[in-house]
Amino acid sequence: MAYFLLKKEAAPGVDGETWRHYGEELERNLQDLSERLKARRSVRAKPVRRVYIPNADGRQRPLGVPALEDLKIVQRAAVEVLNAHLRNGLLGFSYAVPTGPQPAYKR
């Protein structure tokens, strides 16, 4: 389940929703999200919360924090589905970028 693959301590997005709070009514929240996705209604990404983090040189760089449900859960679920599909569907002569730790190549 995509929810459990997320970082528990990740910063909340513009909606203020945290991993723990969303999980308090996880079944209901995921059922609601699923129904909205299937019906293609009211599933629009919320604005990304902009925060600035310091660089080593003292300047600030912008960082976008997506809302938990909108992008973190939905995108993570899509990644899992696509990865499973690609792993099973590649032919012996197909090329793809592997995920996870890879052996180092020696020249």
Side-chain angles (χ1 to χ4, degrees), residues 13-15 45-49 65-67 70:
V14 295
D15 58 0
K46 292 180 175 79
V48 174
R49 183 169 65 95
V65 181
D70 288 345

Side-chain angles (χ1 to χ4, degrees), residues 81-98:
V81 169
L82 290 172
N83 279 341
H85 179 72
L86 288 174
R87 277 189 210 108
N88 295 329
L90 293 176
L91 301 174
F93 55 84
S94 299
Y95 292 92
V97 178

Side-chain angles (χ1 to χ4, degrees), residues 1-84:
M1 183 183 300
Y3 170 80
F4 293 108
L5 296 173
L6 300 176
K7 294 179 183 177
K8 295 176 176 85
E9 302 303 324
V14 295
D15 58 0
E17 189 73 71
T18 65
W19 187 88
R20 292 187 198 289
H21 184 260
Y22 193 85
E24 289 174 4
E25 296 190 36
L26 183 60
E27 277 303 314
R28 186 178 65 77
N29 288 333
L30 292 178
Q31 184 64 39
D32 179 59
L33 175 60
S34 175
E35 289 169 6
R36 286 185 286 135
L37 287 168
K38 288 176 185 174
R40 296 178 187 248
R41 62 176 168 76
S42 71
V43 180
R44 295 186 188 262
K46 292 180 175 79
V48 174
R49 183 169 65 95
R50 178 72 60 182
V51 296
Y52 291 88
I53 59 174
N55 276 343
D57 63 4
R59 292 185 298 162
Q60 300 277 317
R61 78 175 174 95
L63 179 70
V65 181
L68 179 82
E69 183 178 82
D70 288 345
L71 297 178
K72 293 177 185 175
I73 293 176
V74 173
Q75 283 184 3
R76 186 66 208 188
V79 165
E80 293 302 312
V81 169
L82 290 172
N83 279 341

